Every structure is written in structure tokens, then in C-alpha cells.
Amino acid sequence: MPGEVQLTVQTNKTTFPATGGQQLVYVLIEAMPTGAVANVQMPLNFGLVLDHSGSMSGAKLANLKEAAKLAVDRMGPQDLVSIVIFDDKVKVIGPNQPVTNAADLKRQIERIRDGGGTEMSRGMRKGLEELRKGLGPGRVSRMLLLTDGETFGDEDVCRRLAAEAGGEAIPITALGLGEDWNEDLLDCIAQASGGTSDFIPEDRPDIILNTFERHVLAAQATVVQNAEMLLRLVPGVMPRAVWRVTPLIAKLGHRALSDRDVQVTLGNMDREQGQSVLIEMLVPPRQPGTYRIAQAEVSYDVATTGLVGEKVKTDIILSFTADPAQAMQTNPYVLNIVEKVTAHKLQTRALDEAAVGNIAGATQKLRAAATRLLGLGEEELAQTALEEAQRMERGEGLSARGTKKLRYETRKLTQKLVD
């Protein structure tokens, strides 16, 4: 039946000025599962792929094992799980199976010991082999990959395996523990597979427990799959950028299907947050009045009901006025999201500038990001941005911890809007 997903549209202003020039408009589109579909819990096909190299000794390994056992406890007999461990070798300690004997699975986890180097592609390949045993239209498949080190010589193989996973609808949650891992590689793995990446600080290995639990619960909350957004634009309207803003901030690539149609991949939606996107649009001059400038159409699948390619549409309508007072009225909710996306954008550009040796550009953007973050009440992140700017000005370069914290924590700024 129709109506499994509801779309709502808001803009940064309630009324826009009727000017003689082009202007930038922010359009927030929120897609939320509704009705009976929002109460369904999809069975999982969940793969844990865990680094147990020598650097994982002590508290890191102890917390990893507790987190893996907690993940098993969050699943039931309707779910499938597999557990793969790797260092410079690979071992399947839990072949793909229903979670009907959690105690045995947890005994296998408890036997994990640290040792060896890091060769991540071995773990990824074996993890995919196990997950493929449980693929099916009625299940949510997900790989949770955790490492605390860099893999050497097999980065291209990791990227290829991530692309294979994405092609088989197996998003990878790539988690880096500590500071000595390659964030560019983990981000690429996540992006290529349609998943996410995250950072767990070295001094807080206990966060592994919360992180594992959160990702299992998010997978269980998935109710809509393979969502795509199609924007049909009226002549003269141009999309400048498209950002996912919930559940995490990320710049989305958009494909021009024609001079007026743009497609954006959304992927899966969970019943708690759905998906929200912020579109930066350049709109040509308009006389006072109300105009439809675009239509958004979201197509999606709901495996539990057998729906494939169901569609929901909404118009994007703007009002223009010649009254300066009316044109001053803004939407605080949308502007708050714009500020958070801007803070994330600034630190991303700062890290890019630092990578090519533009110290002045990087420090300027880090300080601008700090100002935005302070305005959002994010004092700790603002302090980190300032400290990294000061390090660069002293000629010390960026710290691994600071850059990872900025890179990953600013992605989560919008989560606080829905907590």
C-alpha cells in the first residue's frame, strides 16, 4: 500500500526577497517511514570482522570481546551472525548461523587472543564470504569492521572488496580504534559499500561497547531499503550541493540525468531517524508570488511487504515578496542544520588545505570552524579546532587525534537534533 514513507519540506526562509539577481536557497527534505512499516523489525544478517593484531592487547581487546558479546546478546534466533577475526592471517570463529546458541558464540569470542600484524583484506574477504551465505530480500545485511592499525600492501584489495559489498547491498560500518589507522581508507571502504565510518579514541576503549550496540540496533531498525531521490527542477534552478544531514552529515554525490533531473542515492532508512537531506539550490530572479521550483520523488523498497520501487512525491514551493520585513523571516530549525553542515564543511576543507601544504588556508578555516562550533555550543570540538590551528601555526602539523576527532565528530552534529 502507498504511504510507507512521508516527505516533508522546509526552507531557510519562510518568504524570499524578490530581487533582480540569483539567490541561494537551502531546502531541507525529511523522509520518514510511517504507519505499520515503522513497527517492523527486519531480521539481520550481521557480520563481525575484528582486528586482533598484537596492538589490540590489554583493555582494547578486553572491551572488543565484551562489545562483540553484547552484539550477540542484542540478536535473536531470527537473526544470522558470523564472526571473523584477522591479524596477518584470518580465522572464522563463528560461521554464518542463526543466533540460537548465544552462549557458544560468546565462548568463542572469549577465546580471542592478540597477536600478529594487520592485513585487513583477509578479514574483509572472509567476512563477505560468510555474509553471502545469509543474503536474502527479507534480511538486513551489514558488516561491522574494526581495526586499530594500518593495513599494508592490500589497500586496493580492500577498496575492491568494499565495492563488491556495496554491489550486493552489504553496507560496511568501518570503525577505527585509536590513532594509528588510515582514515582515508576506512572512509573509502564505508563510502564504496554504502556504509559509515567512525572513530573510537585510544583512551576510551569502553566506547566500543556503546558503538557496537548502537550499530546493531540501527541495523535492526532498518525498514526501508534502496531509497533513491529524484529532483525534477524547473528551468533556471541549479543544485549546488546535496548533503545528507541525518543520521550523519555527509556530502552526497548527485547525478545529472538531464539538464533538469538530478538523482541522489539515499540507501537504507531506519524507523527512528529516516533520512534528511539539505539541498543548496541557486534560484533565478522571481517576481512576488508563489512558485513551484522543483519536485522531489523518493523511490524505495520495503522487503517485509514485498514492495519494490514504491514512490512518494512532494513539490518544493517558494514564496517571494517585495516587502523587506517579510523577507527577513527565517526558519531557525533549518538554519541550525545549515550551521552544523557549514562547521563540518569548514573542517573538511581545512584538512584538505593542510594536506597540500596551505598552512594559511587551513588555519583560517579551522578558526572559522571553531567560531561556528562555539556558536552551536560545541565547546570541546571548538577547542580541538583551535588547538590544531595553533599547532599548524607553530609548524608542528596536525595531530592524528585532533584531525580524527574533527573529521568524525562534526559528522554527528545533527544527531543532537533528534536525541
Side-chain angles (χ1 to χ4, degrees), residues 66 69 73 78 132 209 212 231 235 332 391 396:
E66 290 305 310
K69 289 189 284 188
D73 281 335
Q78 76 280 4
R132 284 171 178 143
L209 278 78
F212 274 41
L231 291 172
R391 284 180 60 91
E396 297 176 6

Side-chain angles (χ1 to χ4, degrees), residues 1-233:
M1 64 178 181
E4 292 82 7
V5 173
Q6 179 178 352
L7 301 181
T8 57
V9 176
Q10 298 184 67
T11 55
N12 57 305
K13 285 178 174 284
T14 54
T15 309
F16 291 84
T19 64
Q22 190 181 58
Q23 59 184 303
L24 177 63
V25 174
Y26 292 96
V27 179
L28 177 70
I29 303 176
E30 297 174 306
M32 278 295 297
T34 61
V37 71
N39 299 316
V40 172
Q41 180 166 310
M42 294 272 284
L44 300 185
N45 176 36
F46 205 89
L48 295 168
V49 178
L50 309 173
D51 184 347
H52 73 121
S53 57
S55 55
M56 284 291 296
S57 61
K60 288 196 287 188
L61 187 63
N63 281 283
L64 171 65
K65 292 194 288 188
E66 290 305 310
K69 289 189 284 188
L70 177 62
V72 169
D73 281 335
R74 291 292 179 264
M75 300 181 210
Q78 76 280 4
D79 300 314
L80 302 176
V81 69
S82 55
I83 306 169
V84 173
I85 59 173
F86 70 93
D87 46 16
D88 48 11
K89 301 177 290 296
V90 65
K91 183 178 181 181
V92 180
I93 65 170
N96 190 280
Q97 60 190 282
V99 186
T100 53
N101 192 343
D104 183 61
L105 285 166
K106 291 191 286 186
R107 280 193 292 270
Q108 296 300 321
I109 293 168
E110 188 55 44
R111 295 189 183 111
I112 299 173
R113 298 293 180 265
D114 61 276
T118 303
E119 195 166 341
M120 194 159 62
S121 66
R122 291 180 181 268
M124 290 179 64
R125 180 179 289 107
K126 189 61 70 175
L128 274 177
E129 289 175 6
E130 292 300 317
L131 281 163
R132 284 171 178 143
K133 298 174 183 177
L135 287 178
R139 290 187 182 277
V140 173
S141 294
R142 193 73 49 89
M143 178 191 294
L144 193 152
L145 168 69
L146 181 137
T147 184
D148 78 329
E150 292 203 33
T151 189
F152 294 99
D154 63 339
E155 291 91 345
D156 286 343
V157 180
C158 292
R159 295 185 185 97
R160 178 176 57 78
L161 290 167
E164 288 181 16
E168 298 176 61
I170 305 173
I172 299 174
T173 298
L175 303 176
L177 173 58
E179 300 172 9
D180 300 324
W181 47 275
N182 184 340
E183 61 264 37
D184 290 332
L185 177 61
L186 286 200
D187 283 356
C188 181
I189 287 170
Q191 184 175 16
S193 66
T196 60
S197 49
D198 205 353
F199 163 51
I200 301 172
E202 177 87 29
D203 58 352
R204 292 294 310 277
D206 55 298
I207 295 178
I208 302 175
L209 278 78
N210 294 334
T211 304
F212 274 41
E213 181 178 35
R214 176 161 45 87
H215 284 289
V216 171
L217 294 176
Q220 289 174 328
T222 299
V223 291
V224 170
Q225 297 171 293
N226 306 319
E228 297 269 352
M229 178 180 289
L230 177 62
L231 291 172
R232 297 187 177 94
L233 308 171

Side-chain angles (χ1 to χ4, degrees), residues 182-307:
N182 184 340
E183 61 264 37
D184 290 332
L185 177 61
L186 286 200
D187 283 356
C188 181
I189 287 170
Q191 184 175 16
S193 66
T196 60
S197 49
D198 205 353
F199 163 51
I200 301 172
E202 177 87 29
D203 58 352
R204 292 294 310 277
D206 55 298
I207 295 178
I208 302 175
L209 278 78
N210 294 334
T211 304
F212 274 41
E213 181 178 35
R214 176 161 45 87
H215 284 289
V216 171
L217 294 176
Q220 289 174 328
T222 299
V223 291
V224 170
Q225 297 171 293
N226 306 319
E228 297 269 352
M229 178 180 289
L230 177 62
L231 291 172
R232 297 187 177 94
L233 308 171
V234 303
V237 176
M238 295 185 296
R240 193 172 74 168
V242 182
W243 295 85
R244 177 182 287 118
V245 293
T246 57
L248 293 171
I249 298 174
K251 190 171 185 179
L252 298 175
H254 55 277
R255 300 178 295 281
L257 303 181
S258 70
D259 60 348
R260 292 173 56 186
D261 291 344
V262 174
Q263 189 175 42
V264 179
T265 298
L266 300 179
N268 296 338
M269 296 184 200
D270 69 47
R271 59 175 171 263
E272 304 297 335
Q273 296 188 65
Q275 289 237 11
S276 300
V277 295
L278 182 71
I279 307 165
E280 301 176 16
M281 286 185 179
L282 294 172
V283 178
R286 288 285 191 271
Q287 294 297 315
T290 299
Y291 302 85
R292 187 181 78 156
I293 63 161
Q295 182 186 71
E297 176 184 282
V298 174
S299 63
Y300 57 91
D301 302 338
V302 182
T304 53
T305 61
L307 285 175

